[in-house]
Amino acid sequence: MLDVLFRGARLYDGSGAKSVTAAVGIREGTIVNVGDTDEPSRRSIDAGGLALMPGIVDLHTHYDAQITWDATLSPSVALGVTTAVMGNCGFGIAPCPPRERETLLRNLSVVEGMDVEALLAGTQWEFETFAQYLAMLERRRPLANVAVLAQHSTIRAAVMGAAASERKPPSDRELSEMRRLVAEALDAGAIGFASSFSPNHSGWGGRPMPSTVATDEELKSLVRVLGEKRRGIFVMATGPRATPEFMEALAAETGRPAFIVTVLTMYNRAQPARALEMYERCAQALARGHEVYIHANCQPLSFDFALREPYILYSHDAFDAVKSASPQERAAIYRTAAFRERLRQNFREPRQGILFYGDWTQVERDGVPVTELAAREGKDALDYVFDLPLDVQLVAKLYQNDDAGVAPLLKHPAGVIALSDAGAHLIYFCDAGYGLHFLAHWVRELGTFTLEEGVRRLTSDPARKYRIPGRGLIAPGYMADMVLFDPAKVGVSPLRRVRDLPGGGTRMLRDPLGVHGVWVNGVQVFDGSRYTMDHGPGAILRHQSGSGTD
């Protein structure tokens, strides 16, 4: 007998094949039948012509701390995500000796735009090692499937302590211990290894995130563990240091896929040809037999910020003194002519890989460009901004904001749709609904993709490239991770602010539109308006020896 039988659904199976109307039968969490069947079922669902697709595979989330107090992975599951990968950019919370806990959370709060008091109040420390962290996740019984990357910054901090953020190479003993911890994480089931060289990644008090000060040789030594183990993927916030050619060399040496995350690969009207050129360099690596891909963002990349915490500007050296200053001291620095002239010089001679190049037409206050507001007061835009009170909210609309420029990137074979940053930057925005946005905007509204191809790009394509078996297709033998939705209405709501974080903190959320249900491993976890449970059927996706290899 089947546990669940879907009837009357328009099936988009994740392969890109033409959709069909078909029944789908599920037993013990696995799809056992696609097509007509006479087998009886304990529960029958009449889909009424709605679309049924595999669950979205989100490769780039930051739920590492939130999942310790929130097994629902809110809001991603409601937004169609059934598999989430954590530990991105090399930031996470395991392994972590007790002495490093507060520093790690404070760093995470800055680099990923999280409420520090919520992190300190909510994170449940039931582990020290990576293996213990995965065991804790299993006890938490999340609503979605979860995979975790071993994390460079976390491991460096665990080994080197406060010195991890200093610009010095580890000793031979320290490097050996870091390699041991990477290997230990992979043996425990890590899906791969993540790091960051991004100049935009600073932690508490403006200190660099540990991996960003590592040498090339340190990074290479750690990535080689993937080759030695013959499993796992490598993903990196590359900045300008880790070029496509650098990543290709690591992919060639280790035999493992490498993934690039950087604003250099995002469309920016200040340098309109740069992003596509990066994709082409990765395509050349693929043609040579070396897997190098780019995390492609399908949503405009905007940043809310205020002068109290102007994190998008920290990569400019004009902010070196600002990062370690108190709010009162920051206000005084902003008023000085020396600071403003230095920032103008930074804009005239920009470093590669920074977030903001000084185009103030891309920065708004209450929906109005600050250039227009400055003109009303007879001011230069930079002076207008730095005359503002510290807590005035600004929105910088910097990347992926031109559909014509973004479309070739999303369609490029060297890309994989990702970069939701779900769980992060929730003080400022919520991009966890990237998949529903993709189906609404790029499929329905623009027609850049057919629905069949759009579903494939969100499901089987990321699962295949990340070596996640049994997910991303509606086919016999695959796990029953599925989303039932209305293609004519699917999308995401406007942002809303809620106060539901530990300690009374607030965050930004979006709600799903046109979603009628989400199933994980054959169990319904969201019914279109609410979660059906607090703890669920999600699996911890462990890559063990002999699993997930080529």
Side-chain angles (χ1 to χ4, degrees), residues 145-382:
N145 308 303
V146 171
V148 188
L149 295 153
Q151 308 130 35
H152 190 173
S153 280
T154 313
I155 287 172
R156 199 173 207 262
V159 172
M160 299 178 68
S165 290
E166 298 173 2
R167 297 183 183 279
K168 73 167 191 174
S171 66
D172 290 345
R173 182 197 64 78
E174 289 169 331
L175 182 58
S176 177
E177 177 64 4
M178 281 192 266
R179 283 176 48 83
R180 185 190 71 79
L181 290 175
V182 174
E184 184 178 88
L186 291 171
D187 289 341
I191 195 174
F193 176 70
S195 185
S196 171
F197 276 173
S198 172
N200 301 303
H201 282 157
S202 296
W204 192 259
R207 287 170 60 81
M209 289 301 290
S211 69
T212 66
V213 300
T215 64
D216 290 0
E217 286 308 311
E218 176 185 323
L219 176 70
K220 291 176 183 177
S221 180
L222 299 180
V223 177
R224 287 185 186 116
V225 178
L226 299 176
E228 295 161 11
K229 294 289 183 180
R230 298 180 62 190
R231 64 179 182 272
I233 60 94
F234 172 49
V235 58
M236 184 168 194
T238 57
R241 282 176 62 189
T243 63
E245 292 72 28
F246 179 95
M247 297 292 279
E248 181 185 2
L250 284 171
E253 180 180 355
T254 63
R256 308 312 306 159
F259 295 80
I260 291 171
V261 185
T262 174
V263 295
L264 295 171
T265 62
M266 298 182 195
Y267 183 83
N268 177 0
R269 69 189 186 206
Q271 296 173 304
R274 183 187 63 188
L276 188 57
E277 187 259 343
M278 293 281 282
Y279 277 79
E280 289 299 315
R281 288 158 68 184
C282 292
Q284 292 164 16
L286 287 166
R288 290 187 283 266
H290 305 139
E291 289 185 80
V292 182
Y293 301 103
I294 290 169
H295 278 201
N297 190 346
C298 66
Q299 301 176 105
L301 190 64
S302 299
F303 301 87
D304 286 22
F305 70 101
L307 297 184
R308 181 178 294 277
E309 193 60 68
Y311 68 105
I312 72 165
L313 298 167
Y314 279 169
S315 54
H316 297 291
D317 65 24
F319 282 81
D320 287 352
V322 174
K323 289 186 286 188
S324 59
S326 68
Q328 294 77 13
E329 292 168 333
R330 289 181 177 188
I333 293 171
Y334 296 150
R335 288 193 292 269
T336 65
F339 164 79
R340 298 185 185 194
E341 179 51 37
R342 184 58 194 166
L343 183 56
R344 288 188 173 94
Q345 184 63 29
N346 289 160
F347 290 151
R348 287 192 291 269
E349 301 174 1
R351 298 165 57 190
Q352 285 293 308
I354 61 175
L355 289 175
F356 182 56
Y357 287 84
D359 181 357
W360 293 105
T361 65
Q362 296 179 300
V363 180
E364 298 178 355
R365 178 185 180 186
D366 298 326
V368 182
V370 297
T371 47
E372 181 179 332
L373 296 172
R376 293 176 189 175
E377 297 187 14
K379 289 184 178 181
D380 170 83
L382 187 149

Side-chain angles (χ1 to χ4, degrees), residues 373-391:
L373 296 172
R376 293 176 189 175
E377 297 187 14
K379 289 184 178 181
D380 170 83
L382 187 149
D383 288 328
Y384 171 84
V385 168
F386 287 96
D387 285 343
L388 291 172
L390 293 183
D391 291 321

